[in-house]
Amino acid sequence: MSNHLKPYDGLKASLLTQHGKESVICPEMLNTNGLEVIHVTGYDTDKLGTFTRDIPRYGSQLEAARKKARVGMELSGTQIGIASEGAFANDPYTGLIPWNYELVLMVDDTRNIEIVGFFGGEAQSASKLASSWDELTVFLSEAQFPSHQLVIRPDDEYQLECRKAINTIESLKEAYDWAAKLSKSGNVFVENDLRAHTNPTRMANILKATQDLAKKMACLCPECKSPGFSITETKKGLPCRHCGAPTNLPIANMWSCVKCGHKEGVAITNQDGADPSRCNYCNP
Ligand SMILES: [Zn+2]
Ligand SMILES: [Zn+2]
């Protein structure tokens, strides 16, 4: 499915961000696709939502990214816009581990398409209600402080007044004293700052989503030649090597085009059947 043509080579795109995402998105787009991404500022993206619960997100993850991309294109006058939006939940396997979904969107008005890059991985998103400075300091290794920064507020997570981007023990103590003084309950609520520039785990996930997007942008539809031909579905049913019954392992990928809707199923080759340990009959 790869192609030697680079449909974005030499073109310009905008990226609206105030959280340092240009440091991973710009080099990746230039190296993989030859696309020059211009960092755009001058609009407060926090107006479209924050992770600190003070401003709810503008629509879905995709809608928020689309809004940012459009604003960036307007401010810079480019016909191509890139934007990223993150979300936090629990992991999809056990539901116990903090998880981070990163979406990086490219809007291309020259071809009238959108391509979405996506990645889900572990988050560094810890929080603690602490009743003393000693209790707070015990939490610091779990929070990966200071490489990952902190937010602190009086009383509980719903208190709107807070201090963000805390990255030294001195500023943490100062912010703790501030929050403890304002606290009615005697507790302070401390948590990881989830903004990209304060959370290297999240920034690494944004890079992976950007790589997913870059790969899709470089892959052309065999039917209409539009960029954005990618795997959108996986078919399960790889037969067991021992008894031949279908297993839950993938047997084929379904590729789809964002422009014309062309679909192609491609068998996953180089596999000689599923291991019997993955078979419901051989290993129930
Ligand atoms: Zn079997
Ligand atoms: Zn197509």
Side-chain angles (χ1 to χ4, degrees), residues 240 242-245 276 279 281-282:
C240 169
H242 182 69
C243 74
C279 173
Y281 295 94
C282 298

Side-chain angles (χ1 to χ4, degrees), residues 207-254:
L207 173 60
K208 294 209 174 89
T210 306
Q211 289 165 338
D212 183 50
L213 171 63
K215 207 172 67 187
K216 290 172 177 172
M217 284 165 61
C219 192
L220 306 187
C221 172
E223 203 56 33
C224 76
K225 309 295 180 233
S226 169
F229 195 59
S230 70
I231 296 171
T232 49
E233 211 185 309
T234 300
K235 285 205 173 357
K236 292 171 178 176
L238 184 70
C240 169
R241 203 157 57 214
H242 182 69
C243 74
T247 66
N248 278 330
L249 294 177
I251 189 167
N253 290 320
M254 188 58 82

Side-chain angles (χ1 to χ4, degrees), residues 94-242:
T94 64
L96 300 171
I97 304 167
W99 210 247
N100 172 209
Y101 292 104
E102 289 300 332
L103 181 155
V104 183
L105 167 73
M106 187 216 51
V107 175
D108 178 354
D109 278 355
T110 71
R111 298 179 170 95
N112 209 12
I113 56 170
E114 284 184 353
I115 304 176
V116 177
F118 202 65
F119 181 77
E122 257 185 69
Q124 176 53 46
S125 168
S127 64
K128 172 129 187 116
L129 195 61
S131 61
S132 68
W133 172 250
D134 285 348
E135 216 180 308
L136 193 158
T137 52
V138 170
F139 163 74
L140 295 181
S141 65
E142 186 195 335
Q144 290 198 53
F145 178 84
S147 72
H148 291 67
Q149 301 180 21
L150 296 174
V151 179
I152 195 167
R153 60 187 84 221
D155 290 309
D156 56 39
E157 62 187 296
Y158 302 106
Q159 174 64 245
L160 288 184
E161 256 194 293
C162 67
R163 297 270 173 94
K164 297 182 183 182
I166 298 166
N167 62 356
T168 64
I169 195 77
E170 294 78 22
S171 60
L172 179 63
K173 181 69 169 77
E174 198 265 329
Y176 170 79
D177 291 341
W178 164 82
K181 205 169 163 187
L182 284 179
S183 173
K184 293 180 189 71
S185 60
N187 294 324
V188 304
F189 184 81
V190 59
E191 63 190 319
N192 280 119
D193 195 325
L194 299 178
R195 293 174 298 165
H197 62 302
T198 61
N199 195 305
T201 299
R202 183 168 172 227
M203 194 67 98
N205 291 342
I206 293 171
L207 173 60
K208 294 209 174 89
T210 306
Q211 289 165 338
D212 183 50
L213 171 63
K215 207 172 67 187
K216 290 172 177 172
M217 284 165 61
C219 192
L220 306 187
C221 172
E223 203 56 33
C224 76
K225 309 295 180 233
S226 169
F229 195 59
S230 70
I231 296 171
T232 49
E233 211 185 309
T234 300
K235 285 205 173 357
K236 292 171 178 176
L238 184 70
C240 169
R241 203 157 57 214
H242 182 69

Side-chain angles (χ1 to χ4, degrees), residues 53-70:
R53 295 169 293 274
D54 26 3
I55 303 165
R57 186 173 63 204
Y58 176 93
S60 69
Q61 196 175 2
L62 179 60
E63 285 163 347
R66 187 180 287 138
K67 174 76 179 171
K68 284 183 199 168
R70 285 283 165 206

